[in-house]
């Protein structure tokens, strides 16, 4: 999936104009002083430090973020062999390309805008996806579980045929699941029609319109009669305290896709109450709750869930079987 820079071309600042940089951390005349690809990477790292930008939307350090920004602005692939990278570092940047780099750096540094919203590309489970401010930028450890086939909760000799991705956002998880299980039908559900528009774009790009279906629904409200072999959900789960402490980059993401009440579990409670009505016998639901994992025991005392372990980092995803939920809610209604 290629990055389309055409939308940005009309708003690039003039390279020789100091006015556009008068209130910017980007120094005037920088376009005249920086020549090579490596010059721009080095300068980007410096202004990232100066601005105190936050990393966590695809990279976790200044070098990777700067390299990603510069290479995507120059329409260069990010996965070239090291020997080719060494040759390109000294390549000169054109005047038009410098204008793009200045514009992108201003957005990243002055506006603290996450890079995937600038490039309109994010990666999940090794796959590129279109993103914009209508959806969260994918960063879920669900990618590792998916690549492992959701074992041990799914049997290796029986692939799920009907899967629900609840709170799908831009559709990244739903599409990656359909790519993993090539005979499965996936319902990609979200309450937000704007997010579903983005999901539809990604579904079309991967030519999965016959197996991944974007559906507008407030959780399960529009899914009467459906039964699933597996339910996956990365819902809003940020608690009240964490919402107040979010770095500026996260303020560009849709708040309704992050916040979920005082302890971050408002939607999760509704989900767990209703899920047994939509799961086939012995099927599992896996839910990401992030830092709100610390509130689970207080919110659901006595509920036995299985917390997922990750080799590549990450936490806050639990799995629970239909029958466990049925027994739990029956006991708590007495």
């Amino acid at each position: 999936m290629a990055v389309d820079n055409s939308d940005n071309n009309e708003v690039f600042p003039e390279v020789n104009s100091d006015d556009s940089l008068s209130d910017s951390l980007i120094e005037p005349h920088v376009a005249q002083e920086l020549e090579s690809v490596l010059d721009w990477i080095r300068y980007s790292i410096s202004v990232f430090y100066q601005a105190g930008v936050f990393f966590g939307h695809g990279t976790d350090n200044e070098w990777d973020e700067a390299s990603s920004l510069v290479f995507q602005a120059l329409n260069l692939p990010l996965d070239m062999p090291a020997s080719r990278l060494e040759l390109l570092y000294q390549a000169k940047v054109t005047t038009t390309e410098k204008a793009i780099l200045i514009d992108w750096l201003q957005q990243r540094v002055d506006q603290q805008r996450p890079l995937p919203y600038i490039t309109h590309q994010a990666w999940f489970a090794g796959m590129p996806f279109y993103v914009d401010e209508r959806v969260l930028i994918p960063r879920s450890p669900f990618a590792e579980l998916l690549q492992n086939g959701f074992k041990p909760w799914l049997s290796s000799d029986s692939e799920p045929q009907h899967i629900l991705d609840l709170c799908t956002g831009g559709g990244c998880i739903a599409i990656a699941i359909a790519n993993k299980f090539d005979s499965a039908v996936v319902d990609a559900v979200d309450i937000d029609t704007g997010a579903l528009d983005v999901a539809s774009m990604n579904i079309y790009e991967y030519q999965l319109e016959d197996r991944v279906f974007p559906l507008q629904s407030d959780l399960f409200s529009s899914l009467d009669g459906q039964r699933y072999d597996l339910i996956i959900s990365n819902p809003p789960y940020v608690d009240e305290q964490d919402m107040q402490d979010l770095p500026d980059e996260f303020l560009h993401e849709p708040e309704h896709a992050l916040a979920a009440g005082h302890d971050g579990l408002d939607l999760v409670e509704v989900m767990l109450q209703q899920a047994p009505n939509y799961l086939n016998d012995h099927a599992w639901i896996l839910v990401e709750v992030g830092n709100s994992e610390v509130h689970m025991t207080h919110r659901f005392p006595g509920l036995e869930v299985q917390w997922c372990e990750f080799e590549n980092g990450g936490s806050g995803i639990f799995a629970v079987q239909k029958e466990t939920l049925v027994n739990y809610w029956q006991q708590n209604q007495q």
Side-chain angles (χ1 to χ4, degrees):
M1 184 182 295
V3 179
D4 183 1
N5 297 334
S6 59
D7 291 343
N8 293 310
N9 289 337
E10 296 180 359
V11 296
F12 293 150
E14 292 293 334
V15 173
N16 295 319
S17 171
D18 295 342
D19 294 339
S20 64
L21 302 178
S22 59
D23 297 321
S24 173
L25 289 174
I26 312 302
E27 298 172 308
H29 309 299
V30 67
Q32 287 75 38
E33 296 171 1
L34 302 180
E35 295 295 335
S36 70
V37 172
L38 189 57
D39 286 342
W40 283 93
I41 292 175
R42 197 284 307 162
Y43 183 76
S44 299
I45 292 171
S46 296
V47 294
F48 290 164
Y49 271 114
Q50 183 182 0
V53 300
F54 177 83
F55 307 103
H57 292 95
T59 67
D60 60 6
N61 62 81
E62 289 81 1
W63 174 267
D64 288 345
E65 183 89 351
S67 298
S68 182
L69 185 150
V70 171
F71 272 61
Q72 290 188 77
L74 301 180
N75 287 304
L76 294 171
L78 299 173
D79 56 353
M80 285 186 293
S83 58
R84 294 183 182 178
L85 285 175
E86 292 293 332
L87 296 174
L88 279 174
Y89 283 145
Q90 302 308 318
K92 289 189 175 181
V93 179
T94 70
T95 299
T96 301
E97 290 170 337
K98 289 178 180 181
I100 299 172
L101 284 162
I102 288 174
D103 179 60
W104 285 20
L105 272 175
Q106 282 185 275
Q107 293 185 58
R108 185 67 187 93
V109 171
D110 299 331
Q111 302 174 27
Q112 304 279 318
R113 193 178 179 203
L115 183 58
Y117 285 156
I118 300 171
T119 65
H120 293 306
Q121 185 177 78
W123 290 76
F124 177 77
M127 303 167 67
F129 294 93
Y130 174 88
V131 294
D132 60 31
E133 281 85 345
R134 290 174 289 180
V135 297
L136 295 183
I137 296 166
R139 49 186 173 270
S140 172
F142 262 125
E144 182 178 327
L145 298 180
L146 193 155
Q147 290 167 340
N148 293 333
F150 295 105
K151 296 177 182 177
W153 303 283
L154 290 183
S155 171
S156 57
D157 59 359
S158 179
E159 289 192 357
Q161 297 301 302
H162 198 191
I163 302 171
L164 172 62
D165 176 22
L166 199 57
C167 305
T168 193
C172 305
I173 293 177
I175 291 167
I177 287 176
N179 187 62
K180 178 69 175 181
F181 302 114
D182 56 14
S183 63
V185 170
V186 184
D187 289 339
V189 169
D190 205 288
I191 192 173
D192 189 327
T193 56
L196 290 172
D197 288 341
V198 175
S200 296
M201 293 170 60
N202 285 316
I203 293 166
Y204 175 80
E205 188 71 26
Y206 280 100
Q207 299 182 355
L208 286 169
E209 302 99 315
D210 61 336
R211 291 201 296 120
V212 181
F213 300 99
L215 303 172
Q216 198 278 332
S217 180
D218 183 358
L219 296 181
F220 296 102
S221 64
S222 300
L223 302 178
D224 287 348
Q226 298 299 314
R227 294 292 184 274
Y228 298 96
D229 303 316
L230 177 67
I231 297 176
I232 302 296
S233 185
N234 181 9
Y237 59 69
V238 182
D239 67 30
E240 193 172 67
Q241 183 60 53
D242 282 350
M243 283 298 298
Q244 295 174 3
D245 297 336
L246 287 176
D248 289 343
E249 279 79 357
F250 289 91
L251 302 182
H252 291 270
E253 298 189 285
E255 181 178 353
H256 64 268
L258 293 167
H262 178 72
D263 64 0
L265 299 174
D266 285 358
L267 289 180
V268 174
E269 178 163 357
V270 176
M271 196 179 301
L272 295 184
Q273 287 177 340
Q274 297 180 1
N277 298 323
Y278 300 89
L279 285 165
N280 286 321
D281 291 345
H282 311 300
W284 292 81
I285 177 172
L286 283 82
V287 183
E288 181 170 351
V289 294
N291 291 343
S292 293
E293 174 181 345
V294 298
H295 302 300
M296 283 287 294
T297 301
H298 182 265
R299 186 78 171 233
F300 307 108
L303 176 61
E304 296 182 3
V305 302
Q306 298 183 17
W307 290 101
C308 304
E309 298 182 0
F310 300 93
E311 295 181 0
N312 301 321
S315 62
I317 295 179
F318 68 84
V320 60
Q321 201 169 28
K322 172 183 177 177
E323 286 72 17
T324 300
L325 288 174
V326 170
N327 292 334
Y328 179 78
W329 293 119
Q330 285 178 347
Q331 292 172 5
N332 282 272
Q333 289 173 358
Q334 295 176 355

